[in-house]
């Protein structure tokens, strides 16, 4: 699988130590495949043990979260925070509350986050956290008590100069509010320790929109540079109906595309006339409903059980915005057979290695997650800057910075792909460009 001896040796060590962490292994393997020519060109990375250190988190915190439900029963969940790499800034990365959260999932997300944060050009290290808590069907009071219990332990490990968590799946404005309130109460300190905050207590305008909007800015830039084309007039399939999916749909529509799908973990809707986003917002943001309701309320829209079917809908561009490994080799083949030529990732690691192989064999324009969805953490970085400055920038100012950052991420990745002899291989480019900055910082700071 690997030809470079150094890369092979370190990967085998990860397999030996973390063989029971499939998602983490998948993420390391994908990055290492891109890094072979880089470590061959830069022997100082091997001399300084950069890869060995990169795959080992600086700290993993795993803790019990005990809380009481509305019936007075004691519930126990697991909490995690992986502080992966602080070479270029304080640890930064979201919190995910979902029953599928394990140490492997948090480590894959944290590992990806190191390179993603580096690509943004902002001073942020990589981290990630979460819990196997499932907020579905829980009352607001239960979610609040869970968040308070979670933060009671987490607060020992984070801080505005140490580690600044944000949201991710099932952690949105409501949860960030409860978490922030508990941090403030326990530490007696008002600081920008979390991002994704509400506008009434230090949030940034455009943070809610940032990942979805950023995904479209990146896609638009890639289309312009590599295809002399744009989103205008394209048919787009989007999975998910959460934060990233909603604002990807909004921006894609603003840029002239027709978005024809939305989904959740139960199934997907296909609307040949184009998704009515106000209705999706009403269902998902208004009353936390299921996407099935869309088809009940829109004539001509179809609902299908099972989320995988979303990739059978013919489209020009696919933007996966739900979760990891949601496009497998079979779905990738179906997308291509139905005319799709562009896949840009809003979710983290939504494509399996088999799917990525299909994109590469078929010459798709493929924008990998760590570049294409970096807009969220980029605006989180801008929220940190505004908190430090005690200032609030306008929506347009933040949006313009987001656009500039996404353009820059594309350019950096494209340049790196050219430098390493694979022009247009944006996965290689993103991995190389993200890695090089972190590796150089690690070498400069000595063996830590
Ligand atoms: P949300 O919780 O707002 O939405 C998640 C969406 O994905 C929901 O529609 C959810 O459906 C669906 N989903 C979740 N798990 C699964 C699953 N196992 N199978 C099928 N569908 C699923 O999360 P976000 O929109 O914030 O996050 C979506 C993706 O984007 C994640 O991969 C996240 O890591 C990534 N991301 C998010 C960023 C952000 O700023 N929020 C930044 C960068 C990346 P249901 O309601 O049924 O669970």
């Amino acid at each position: 699988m690997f030809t470079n001896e150094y890369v092979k040796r370190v990967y085998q060590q990860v397999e030996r130590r973390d063989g029971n962490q499939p998602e983490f292994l998948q993420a390391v393997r994908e990055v290492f495949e891109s890094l072979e020519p880089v470590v061959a060109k830069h022997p100082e990375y091997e001399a300084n043990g950069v890869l060995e250190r990169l795959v080992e988190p600086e700290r993993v915190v795993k803790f019990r979260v005990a809380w009481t439900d509305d019936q007075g029963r004691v519930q126990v969940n697991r909490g995690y925070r992986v502080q992966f790499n602080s070479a270029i800034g304080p640890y930064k990365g979201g919190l995910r509350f979902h029953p599928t959260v394990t140490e492997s999932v948090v480590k894959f997300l944290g590992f990806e986050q190191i390179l993603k944060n580096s690509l943004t050009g902002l001073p942020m290290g990589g981290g990630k956290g979460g819990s196997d808590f499932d907020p579905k069907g829980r009352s607001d009071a239960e979610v609040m008590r869970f968040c308070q219990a979670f933060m009671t332990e987490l607060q020992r490990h984070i801080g505005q100069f140490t580690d600044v968590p944000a949201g991710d799946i099932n952690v949105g404005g409501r949860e960030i509010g409860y978490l922030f309130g508990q941090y403030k109460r326990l530490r007696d300190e008002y600081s920008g320790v979390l991002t994704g905050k509400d506008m009434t207590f230090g949030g940034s305008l455009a943070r809610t929109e940032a990942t979805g909007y950023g995904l479209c800015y990146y896609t638009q830039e890639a289309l312009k540079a590599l295809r002399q084309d744009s989103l205008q007039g394209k048919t787009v399939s989007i999975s998910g109906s959460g934060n990233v999916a909603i604002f990807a749909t909004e921006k894609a529509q603003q840029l002239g595309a027709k978005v024809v799908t939305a989904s959740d973990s139960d199934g997907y809707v296909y609307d040949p006339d184009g998704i009515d986003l106000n209705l999706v917002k009403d269902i998902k943001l208004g009353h936390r409903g299921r996407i099935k309701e869309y088809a009940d309320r829109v004539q001509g829209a179809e609902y299908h059980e099972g989320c995988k079917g979303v990739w059978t809908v013919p489209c020009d561009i696919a933007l996966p915005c739900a979760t990891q490994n949601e496009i497998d080799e079979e779905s990738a083949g179906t997308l291509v057979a139905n005319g799709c030529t562009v896949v840009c990732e809003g979710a983290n690691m939504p494509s399996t290695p088999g799917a990525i192989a299909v994109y590469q064999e078929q010459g798709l324009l493929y924008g990998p997650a760590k570049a294409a969805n970096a807009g969220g953490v980029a605006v989180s970085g801008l929220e940190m800057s505004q908190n430090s400055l005690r200032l609030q920038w306008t929506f347009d100012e933040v949006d313009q910075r987001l656009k500039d950052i996404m353009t820059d991420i594309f350019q950096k990745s494209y340049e790196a792909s050219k430098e390493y002899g694979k022009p247009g291989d944006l996965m290689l480019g993103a991995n190389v460009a993200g890695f090089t900055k972190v590796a150089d910082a690690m070498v400069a700071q000595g063996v830590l």
Side-chain angles (χ1 to χ4, degrees), residues 352-398:
T352 64
I356 295 171
V358 172
Y359 308 154
Q360 289 173 333
E361 280 155 23
Q362 301 293 327
L364 265 67
L365 193 171
Y366 168 50
K370 68 174 68 65
N373 75 20
V377 74
V379 173
S380 275
L382 301 179
E383 183 173 330
M384 289 166 73
S385 304
Q386 293 169 82
N387 291 164
S388 297
L389 291 165
R390 303 281 190 265
L391 281 178
Q392 194 163 82
W393 298 330
T394 63
F395 187 97
D396 288 346
E397 193 169 350
V398 179

Side-chain angles (χ1 to χ4, degrees), residues 141 155 174 182 190 229 275 306 334 342 376 438:
Q155 55 91 20
R174 173 181 64 169
Q182 183 73 348
Y190 207 113
D229 204 346
I275 289 289
T334 310
V342 179
V438 175

Side-chain angles (χ1 to χ4, degrees), residues 96 98 100 109 116 128 136 167-171 207 211 240-245 263-266 284 290 307 321-324 346-348 373 376-377:
R96 175 178 292 191
H98 197 273
T100 55
L109 289 163
K116 181 189 309 196
K128 200 83 187 188
K136 251 190 220 121
D168 190 76
I169 291 180
N170 288 330
V171 178
R207 172 61 188 92
T211 309
S241 49
N243 171 268
V244 180
S263 71
D264 58 23
S265 51
D266 295 331
K284 287 290 169 179
R290 306 306 297 161
C307 29
C321 294
T323 194
Q324 65 266 15
N348 282 310
N373 75 20
V377 74

Side-chain angles (χ1 to χ4, degrees), residues 33-311:
E33 278 170 0
S34 303
L35 296 185
E36 290 195 289
V38 186
V39 297
K41 192 169 164 185
H42 292 274
E44 70 274 21
Y45 295 155
E46 180 172 0
N48 285 277
V50 168
L51 291 186
E52 294 89 323
R53 291 191 282 147
L54 191 74
V55 294
E56 200 57 35
E58 291 174 18
R59 191 176 295 109
V60 177
V61 188
K62 183 172 168 186
F63 50 97
R64 180 178 71 201
V65 188
W67 56 284
T68 310
D69 68 18
D70 285 347
Q71 283 70 45
R73 286 184 303 240
V74 174
Q75 301 281 345
V76 177
N77 287 98
R78 278 194 183 156
Y80 301 90
R81 186 70 185 165
V82 175
Q83 299 179 328
F84 225 117
N85 191 298
S86 62
I88 63 168
Y91 312 107
K92 181 94 197 86
L95 298 171
R96 175 178 292 191
F97 293 166
H98 197 273
T100 55
V101 167
T102 59
E103 189 169 332
S104 171
V105 167
V106 179
K107 277 181 69 181
F108 115 64
L109 289 163
F111 183 71
E112 288 279 294
Q113 200 81 43
I114 303 169
L115 305 187
K116 181 189 309 196
N117 293 1
S118 165
L119 279 172
T120 66
L122 300 172
M124 300 182 290
K128 200 83 187 188
S131 171
D132 58 0
F133 171 69
D134 187 357
K136 251 190 220 121
R138 293 291 180 191
S139 68
D140 273 359
E142 287 178 317
V143 171
M144 181 182 76
R145 286 197 295 276
F146 173 80
C147 288
Q148 291 176 341
F150 183 83
M151 183 52 88
T152 300
E153 174 59 30
L154 188 69
Q155 55 91 20
R156 295 175 216 281
H157 310 288
I158 62 175
Q160 61 168 330
F161 301 118
T162 317
D163 183 357
V164 183
D168 190 76
I169 291 180
N170 288 330
V171 178
R174 173 181 64 169
E175 292 73 21
I176 293 291
Y178 294 147
L179 291 164
F180 182 81
Q182 183 73 348
Y183 183 88
K184 182 166 63 73
R185 173 162 77 171
L186 293 172
R187 301 291 289 257
D188 201 16
E189 172 192 305
Y190 207 113
S191 65
V193 67
L194 290 160
T195 57
K197 299 184 292 295
D198 187 78
M199 294 312 298
T200 56
F201 54 92
S204 173
L205 288 162
R207 172 61 188 92
T208 311
E209 293 84 354
T211 309
Y213 277 25
L215 171 64
C216 292
Y217 295 147
Y218 175 92
T219 307
Q220 185 84 330
E221 194 59 30
L223 281 168
K224 186 172 90 183
L226 302 176
R227 298 258 177 95
Q228 293 76 51
D229 204 346
S230 74
L231 277 157
Q232 177 70 39
K234 300 292 183 300
T235 300
V236 177
S237 264
I238 293 184
S239 63
S241 49
N243 171 268
V244 180
I246 285 176
F247 292 101
T249 302
E250 184 163 288
K251 186 51 73 178
Q253 289 178 341
Q254 286 171 11
L255 292 171
K258 180 159 99 170
V259 179
V260 291
T261 60
S263 71
D264 58 23
S265 51
D266 295 331
Y268 74 97
V269 289
Y270 167 54
D271 187 343
D273 295 328
I275 289 289
D276 174 350
L277 189 59
N278 285 333
L279 182 53
V280 175
K281 285 184 179 174
D282 181 51
I283 295 167
K284 287 290 169 179
L285 307 178
H287 57 275
R288 295 178 194 271
R290 306 306 297 161
I291 203 66
K292 183 176 192 296
E293 192 183 323
Y294 184 97
D296 299 336
R297 292 168 63 180
V298 176
Q299 235 187 355
E302 302 166 12
Y303 175 74
H304 300 270
E305 290 288 335
C307 29
K308 199 178 156 184
V310 70
W311 307 122

